[in-house]
Amino acid sequence: MEDILEFVTGHNELFQEHSMEAIIEKQEIIPNKDNFFYVVRDGVVALEFVENKQILSLFGNMQGFCYCEGSVAKFRALTDVALLGIEKDFLIDHFYVQPEFFARLVDIQFRFHNYLVFLTHLHSLDVSERITQMLSFLTQVLG
């Protein structure tokens, strides 16, 4: 993620026009802005179901996320969070300039998809195995 930020911030004047920084307080819901890709600068964000607040994934420092149209999940700050929001169109424009940038974002998306598949699989396990798998999952996500 750091290499992506380094690339887009290299176009400083444009970057300032197409980005925003925000501080989100603990337990606040991060606003649903479909046109933004967010990067966690500091703190921890959880992706959770709207209905029951079940956590699907965690995002920490220098990890990115975005809302998807029609999503049944929301992002909540588990700690005070410093966010950087970048307009998706601005990011997409840079895909043509540097294909490695696009490849990096696709990699992020595939990892996120794998996390969701893993979490879906957890529901078929017994309680002790589920706890073991979740602890393993958390160490992978949080480092």
Side-chain angles (χ1 to χ4, degrees):
M1 185 57 67
E2 290 176 26
D3 52 344
I4 292 172
L5 285 180
E6 184 177 317
F7 178 72
V8 294
T9 57
H11 308 296
N12 198 28
E13 204 171 289
L14 278 174
F15 182 73
Q16 295 298 325
E17 290 177 32
H18 299 283
S19 66
M20 64 165 212
E21 293 196 39
I23 303 295
I24 309 294
E25 292 183 11
K26 182 179 180 178
Q27 296 303 317
E28 265 188 59
I29 301 297
I30 295 165
N32 183 354
K33 293 188 178 185
D34 285 337
N35 60 329
F36 275 88
F37 178 80
Y38 294 102
V39 177
V40 178
R41 289 258 177 145
D42 187 39
V44 179
V45 173
L47 173 63
E48 61 188 24
F49 280 121
V50 173
E51 289 180 11
N52 61 9
K53 295 187 179 181
Q54 178 183 359
I55 293 177
L56 299 172
S57 188
L58 297 173
F59 300 88
N61 295 351
M62 301 311 290
Q63 290 184 313
F65 65 91
C66 62
Y67 279 99
C68 297
E69 191 173 319
S71 177
V72 295
K74 62 184 175 214
F75 294 94
R76 178 185 302 278
L78 294 183
T79 64
D80 289 345
V81 174
L83 281 181
L84 174 65
I86 307 168
E87 289 180 7
K88 287 181 187 176
D89 290 339
F90 179 71
L91 289 175
I92 291 168
D93 288 345
H94 285 81
F95 294 159
Y96 298 106
V97 178
Q98 189 168 348
E100 300 84 28
F101 178 66
F102 176 71
R104 179 74 172 117
L105 283 179
V106 169
D107 180 57
I108 291 168
Q109 179 61 33
F110 281 134
R111 279 190 277 139
F112 178 69
H113 179 269
N114 287 338
Y115 290 147
L116 290 180
V117 169
F118 171 76
L119 289 171
T120 303
H121 169 70
L122 281 179
H123 293 289
S124 65
L125 303 175
D126 66 14
V127 174
S128 63
E129 183 63 22
R130 191 178 309 165
I131 291 170
T132 302
Q133 291 294 323
M134 278 304 293
L135 289 174
S136 172
F137 171 74
L138 288 173
T139 56
Q140 288 176 11
V141 172
L142 297 176

